[in-house]
Amino acid sequence: MGSRDRRRAGVRLPPGITNADVAPAQMLEVLMQAAMSALAAGDRTALEPVSTALVERPDLGGWRAFVARELAVRLPFAIEQAWSRGWEPADVVRYAARRLGPGSGVLAAEAVTGQLTGYATVTVDPRWREQLAEFEVVPWWPADSTVVQARLHRDGWVDFAPQLLELVAFLLVLPGLERIGPPPGEYRPAPGETAEPVTGPPRHVDERVLSRIRALLAKAEATSSEAEAEAFTAGAQERMARHSIDMAMVRASGRDDGGTGGERPATRRVWIDPPYEQSKTVLLNAVASANRCRSVWTKNIGFCTVIGFGADLDAVEALFTSLLVQATTAMTRAGRIEQAGGRARSKTFRQSFLAAYALRIGERLATITHEQTEAARTELGDDRLLPVLASRQHDVEERFAELFPSVTRGRSIRVGDQMGWASGRGAADQATLNASSAVRP
């Protein structure tokens, strides 16, 4: 290999020394460092010569067998490193798929699944197993084999070796995140809590209440009438807000711990898919605020961290997912309106539409929560309700400050299309959210 070939391979070798002259261990280390540098810099094109050097090196000195053995060891180590830096299964899989492609996301899901099988169930947070269940990975590799061995046999050296090297390097350069739960091996169930994987509805919301909420949101997503969609969504928010208050009072009943009943705020990550990420985070923040939660957007990676009590987090996730569907439907409908130059279909129009929709929906959800709180105050009395709500809000703010002591407020969304802004507010404002007249209990 000449100097031109050395540059093409992205390998810094002394003059006159070829790829094949370097010992397998040294060569793999050079390639790994080159891949890590490329991924840390966000330059995937720099990985191409690394992959070329990996697969085109002659299989001398047991090169392929050595690489397979070494990477099979480094992959679980890299996964453990990700856990130690605050990453969770869903984070690793989604980020790998986003940065490296769907195929690498599948490999990451398989690797994480294989890794967690080595831990006793009682030492793994049930949330982690719930996350794995979302990706529906069924171990297809033999019990006496690893994912790496099975993949090499199935996919072949040329196709799989570069993908494996890239994933290992990617995991090793992941940035640190706020730790929101214990890594595997350190989790211990709370007294009375089951350690078995949860396959049904979230534990924090009564199943019957959650079923009614989901039914209302499904109707909101299915209807072609914006007024009906708003009314169904309002009905869901009413039930969420009241159920949150009821859960808080039940947990605080007979307790002397300040009103939380021993429950502490929890934390979840919600991944925001492109396009229009900023407007979608505005929507999530609006939903979170209306349900007494706090949210922070980690823009450079692509997720929001939401902090709140369990029932409120369940409500936020369900409502945000539904409102994304509803907002997209309303935006598409508005975009069919013919405007000069097709402006209603432009990116600026859609960004402005979603931002206005999110802010207006947030105002309306907050109004519903306030109304339900006032109704509960009348029923329960200020001396019973207000201390409980104040205590819970204090705990949420305290947890928020603990995780994000130096968070800064981001720039507001720039409205680049007044027609989009007006259309978005109009779509969110058409219905009268007196859900009792439109939604049956």
Side-chain angles (χ1 to χ4, degrees), residues 48-111:
E48 295 176 8
V50 176
S51 298
T52 300
L54 175 68
V55 300
E56 290 187 358
R57 175 185 168 108
D59 192 19
L60 302 174
W63 167 246
R64 293 187 178 182
F66 171 79
V67 171
R69 289 195 306 271
E70 186 68 17
L71 292 183
V73 172
R74 294 195 187 197
L75 179 58
F77 171 78
I79 292 174
E80 293 290 339
Q81 288 294 299
W83 300 160
S84 70
R85 292 197 293 274
W87 290 73
E88 298 194 343
D91 306 325
V92 169
V93 174
R94 289 195 173 100
Y95 197 46
R98 181 173 295 185
R99 289 285 304 276
L100 307 181
S104 294
V106 172
L107 175 59
E110 293 175 346

Side-chain angles (χ1 to χ4, degrees), residues 83-84 192 209 249 297 307 402:
W83 300 160
S84 70
V209 175
M249 296 306 296
W297 183 25
I307 303 168
E402 177 185 340

Side-chain angles (χ1 to χ4, degrees), residues 114-366:
Q115 184 80 353
L116 289 182
T117 58
Y119 289 91
T121 299
V122 73
T123 68
V124 179
D125 191 327
R127 293 187 309 105
W128 285 44
R129 298 191 183 277
E130 291 174 27
Q131 292 175 26
L132 284 182
E134 295 177 17
F135 300 107
E136 301 179 338
V137 174
V138 178
W140 53 271
W141 52 94
D144 59 349
S145 176
T146 65
V147 175
V148 171
Q149 293 170 332
R151 280 284 203 132
L152 277 171
H153 178 74
R154 188 191 72 181
D155 301 340
W157 172 261
V158 173
D159 290 334
F160 180 64
Q163 184 185 48
L164 176 60
L165 177 71
E166 184 180 47
L167 179 62
V168 173
F170 173 78
L171 293 173
L172 290 174
V173 298
L174 287 176
L177 300 178
E178 296 77 16
R179 177 168 297 186
I180 62 175
E186 297 183 15
Y187 172 79
R188 297 295 182 271
E193 179 183 9
T194 177
E196 293 302 315
V198 177
T199 57
R203 297 179 299 253
H204 305 288
V205 178
D206 183 278
E207 185 174 345
R208 293 168 298 178
V209 175
L210 187 61
S211 178
R212 294 190 188 104
I213 290 170
R214 285 176 170 167
L216 288 171
L217 294 177
K219 290 179 179 179
E221 295 168 25
T223 182
S224 60
S225 167
E226 291 174 358
E228 288 184 357
E230 292 282 356
F232 286 130
T233 302
Q237 177 63 26
E238 283 186 0
R239 284 158 177 75
M240 291 173 182
R242 186 57 199 234
H243 183 65
S244 173
I245 292 171
D246 292 343
M247 290 286 288
M249 296 306 296
V250 168
R251 290 184 180 277
S253 179
R255 305 278 185 163
D256 57 0
D257 54 14
T260 62
E263 184 186 12
R264 309 306 300 169
T267 308
R268 297 183 194 175
R269 293 189 180 119
V270 178
W271 283 77
I272 307 297
D273 295 323
Y276 316 118
E277 296 95 316
Q278 187 175 12
S279 292
K280 291 176 181 177
T281 62
V282 172
L283 177 60
L284 177 58
N285 184 66
V287 174
S289 297
N291 287 280
R292 299 187 175 91
C293 298
R294 292 291 302 271
S295 70
V296 176
W297 183 25
T298 305
K299 181 179 179 180
N300 62 316
I301 296 179
F303 64 78
C304 286
T305 304
V306 186
I307 303 168
F309 285 88
D312 300 329
L313 291 176
D314 291 334
V316 169
E317 287 189 307
L319 188 55
F320 174 65
T321 301
S322 177
L323 282 172
L324 272 184
V325 174
Q326 295 180 52
T328 301
T329 300
M331 180 180 66
T332 302
R333 186 182 300 120
R336 294 195 188 105
I337 301 173
E338 293 296 333
Q339 296 291 336
R343 190 176 61 167
R345 294 186 176 89
S346 71
K347 180 178 180 179
T348 304
F349 172 89
R350 291 175 174 239
Q351 178 86 1
S352 300
F353 181 99
L354 285 176
Y357 186 97
L359 290 172
R360 184 56 183 146
I361 285 293
E363 293 169 1
R364 304 194 125 203
L365 296 179

Side-chain angles (χ1 to χ4, degrees), residues 46-47 178 187 203 247 285 372 374 382 397 434:
L47 288 171
E178 296 77 16
Y187 172 79
R203 297 179 299 253
M247 290 286 288
N285 184 66
Q372 291 300 309
E374 289 300 305
D382 288 355
E397 296 297 333
N434 182 7

Side-chain angles (χ1 to χ4, degrees), residues 17-39:
I17 302 297
T18 68
N19 185 328
D21 294 329
V22 182
Q26 182 184 355
M27 190 64 199
L28 178 59
E29 198 60 38
V30 169
L31 295 177
M32 179 63 68
Q33 290 299 321
M36 291 171 63
S37 296
L39 289 167

